[in-house]
Amino acid sequence: MDPTVLRDDMVDSLEHEAKAVVSSEHVSVAMREVPREPFVDDESAAYADRSFERFGTRVLSPSAAGRLLEALDVQPDHDVLVVGSGVGYTAAVIAEIVGEASVHAIDITRRLVYDARSNLASAGYPGVLVDCRDGARGLPDYAPYDRILLEAAAANPPRALLDQLADEGRLVMPLGVGAQELVAVDADGGEPVAEFGTVAFQPMLVEGEQADTIERNRTRREDREHARRAAERRKGWEQTWINWDDQL
């Protein structure tokens, strides 16, 4: 079937459910334009309302992406930062609304950065900037941003992201480490100014926790220390010979 028809059917279902996920014209039009095939491995099910796994990250279902985008309330004149770009789908939808040059995306996992760049180019949005950065530090090079979307859960809004918001800016994120609430936070106090229901996202990663690193949950200093100890550790025939006759 024609992908355009499939996209229209997908968005129609998100608009006409008992609890409509998509309600704004900007999001509706953008999701009807952006192809999903470049962002998923199973092209035959690209428009089904379910999530996918790719390179250790979750490709959001259309309804989950729609919820984030509606909460973000992006307008055509906004500059936007996506933290946790993943495969790049939400960045593509935002680029359809504000233009490629106004969308910046970062991810801490280098493999996902390369994948997002490739996917965005295939989908027709090569101008979206995707860089490998620690999400908690944001991307101050192009701040301030009118909107920041954090696609990972955190116990508190990262201070650096709040500092990178414009005066009337909004940060949208899953807040909480167990039970999570999708919230919008402004730049002033960092307190939620709007809530959009419960969600379930993976926690934001810090350096050393990427899925494609050699070992998780280590800092660079710890890696160096483990390597030094391994080099100094003697094994097998390298151990000092014990003269048992002298020990008896």
Side-chain angles (χ1 to χ4, degrees), residues 5-17:
V5 175
L6 293 175
R7 289 198 295 274
D8 285 340
D9 289 345
M10 176 189 77
V11 179
D12 286 344
S13 68
L14 299 179
E15 291 178 328
H16 298 145
E17 293 178 350

Side-chain angles (χ1 to χ4, degrees), residues 109-200:
T109 302
R110 191 170 299 278
R111 185 180 184 185
L112 289 176
V113 170
Y114 293 146
D115 189 48
R117 290 174 181 172
S118 175
N119 297 340
L120 285 159
S122 297
Y125 305 93
V128 174
L129 185 148
V130 187
D131 201 0
C132 187
R133 298 290 184 97
D134 183 339
R137 298 178 181 178
L139 187 65
D141 314 55
Y142 299 95
Y145 304 100
D146 300 291
R147 295 289 186 268
I148 297 178
L149 175 61
L150 173 55
E151 292 194 31
N156 297 291
R159 184 69 252 175
L161 298 185
L162 295 176
D163 291 342
Q164 292 167 34
L165 282 174
D167 290 341
E168 302 296 326
R170 164 183 286 196
L171 164 66
V172 169
M173 61 173 290
L175 185 65
V177 292
Q180 300 170 13
E181 187 84 13
L182 183 63
V183 301
V185 179
D186 63 21
D188 293 333
E191 295 296 326
V193 295
E195 298 182 350
F196 303 92
T198 59
V199 289

Side-chain angles (χ1 to χ4, degrees), residues 6 17 25 39 56 83-84 93 102 111 116 120 144 148 158 160 195 215 232 239:
L6 293 175
E17 293 178 350
E25 182 178 358
F39 303 96
V83 179
V93 178
S102 297
R111 185 180 184 185
L120 285 159
I148 297 178
E195 298 182 350
E215 182 168 343
E232 295 175 351
Q239 296 284 359

Side-chain angles (χ1 to χ4, degrees), residues 222-235:
E222 288 171 328
D223 279 334
R224 290 196 299 268
E225 181 67 11
H226 278 270
R228 184 185 64 79
R229 291 179 182 178
E232 295 175 351
R233 187 181 300 120
R234 296 181 178 182
K235 300 176 182 178

Side-chain angles (χ1 to χ4, degrees), residues 65-81:
R67 288 185 66 191
L68 292 180
L69 293 164
E70 287 290 345
L72 197 62
D73 188 27
V74 175
Q75 301 301 315
D77 61 342
H78 282 168
D79 286 314
V80 183
L81 173 64

